[in-house]
Amino acid sequence: MKTTAGTAVTAAKDTAPAAAGSGAPAAPCRAPRPRADALRNRERIIAAARELFVEFGPDVALDDVARRAGVGNATLYRNFPDRAALTHEVVLAVTSRTTLRAEEAAAEESDPFAALSRFVHAAADERIGALCPMLSGVFDKHHPELLAERRRLEEAVEGLVARAMSAGRLRTDIAVGDVLVALSQLTRPLPGIACQGIDRFTHRHLQLFLDGLETPARSVLPGSAATLEDLRRP
């Protein structure tokens, strides 16, 4: 049977998919995933800032961070609009990675003091000295995300110290704060000094510190043990 042109057009409309206004649910829009090169640039910026914070402090010029990362200033500011945003991410990354090292040491070392020693050396490699901004009054150390990560780190280190002390391997006149303060001091050179290659002494000096933590104690320590509460006081 023949159909007219008008009838054919009508039939085609009847068999076409429902229009957008017909009530059919629209497909959800997905946010585009960051490109791999964009993610690499972000990680390079965080790594560069971590190194420079250790060497020169958190007030290092952001131009220097971009240069160390091998990216342009526009790329840096596209990822981190200001110094506060970059500092936040550096502290978060270092805290998270250092916590992981503590958890690995606790899980894989049967000797509690060996676990503590392994963590101390691993924390130095993670550049834990970059956490110094957390002690600064201008840094938002009360951000919920940072508070959660800091508590994870503190609990992990507290566990290492408690097990070593319970096993009779660690002197009893120290506290977790002593370990964290020594780590920060021994892994971070004085800002601005021209001590090239000073990193090669870090693990040597950390081992001297660890030898001083073992029992039996060879001296009486002045003052009182440094607690986590002491470190939190302004």
Side-chain angles (χ1 to χ4, degrees):
M1 182 178 65
K2 294 183 179 180
T3 61
T4 65
T7 304
V9 170
T10 301
K13 288 182 178 180
D14 290 341
T15 58
S22 64
C29 294
R30 295 183 180 179
R33 295 180 62 183
R35 299 197 321 266
D37 59 339
L39 292 174
R40 282 194 298 271
N41 282 340
R42 182 180 176 84
E43 291 303 313
R44 287 163 65 183
I45 293 167
I46 292 173
R50 179 184 69 166
E51 297 297 322
L52 289 171
F53 284 6
V54 172
E55 295 172 25
F56 301 106
D59 294 328
V60 64
L62 296 186
D63 288 354
D64 291 339
V65 175
R67 192 175 302 111
R68 176 74 64 93
V71 302
N73 287 359
T75 299
L76 187 150
Y77 286 109
R78 187 161 54 247
N79 283 276
F80 305 102
D82 53 34
R83 182 182 301 277
L86 177 58
T87 303
H88 175 95
E89 288 302 320
V90 170
V91 171
L92 189 65
V94 174
T95 305
S96 177
R97 288 165 62 98
T98 305
T99 301
L100 179 61
R101 299 296 171 261
E103 293 170 346
E104 288 173 347
E108 297 172 11
E109 298 290 344
S110 57
D111 179 348
F113 194 84
L116 178 62
S117 299
R118 171 174 163 173
F119 161 72
V120 166
H121 286 289
D125 289 336
E126 292 297 342
R127 310 296 271 169
I128 194 173
L131 296 185
C132 286
M134 292 194 76
L135 305 179
S136 169
V138 299
F139 179 71
D140 182 15
K141 48 186 176 288
H142 300 299
H143 189 285
E145 190 176 30
L146 293 178
L147 285 177
E149 280 299 329
R150 185 179 73 181
R151 188 57 198 153
R152 281 185 61 229
L153 175 59
E154 290 173 350
E155 288 175 352
V157 181
E158 281 177 323
L160 290 171
V161 169
R163 283 192 291 274
M165 204 171 283
S166 296
R169 299 290 314 281
L170 184 68
R171 59 191 300 165
T172 58
D173 56 350
I174 66 105
V176 177
D178 292 305
V179 175
L180 295 178
V181 167
L183 260 173
S184 176
Q185 292 178 338
L186 293 173
T187 58
R188 184 169 180 260
L190 293 174
I193 63 173
C195 289
Q196 298 299 320
I198 198 170
D199 280 356
R200 70 183 187 275
F201 300 118
T202 297
H203 289 287
R204 177 182 177 86
H205 293 160
L206 285 174
Q207 192 57 51
L208 287 170
F209 164 67
L210 288 166
D211 288 347
L213 292 182
E214 279 197 273
T215 55
R218 295 169 178 80
S219 63
V220 176
L221 296 176
S224 57
T227 65
L228 293 174
E229 288 70 26
D230 291 331
L231 299 187
R232 293 181 189 132
R233 290 195 191 104

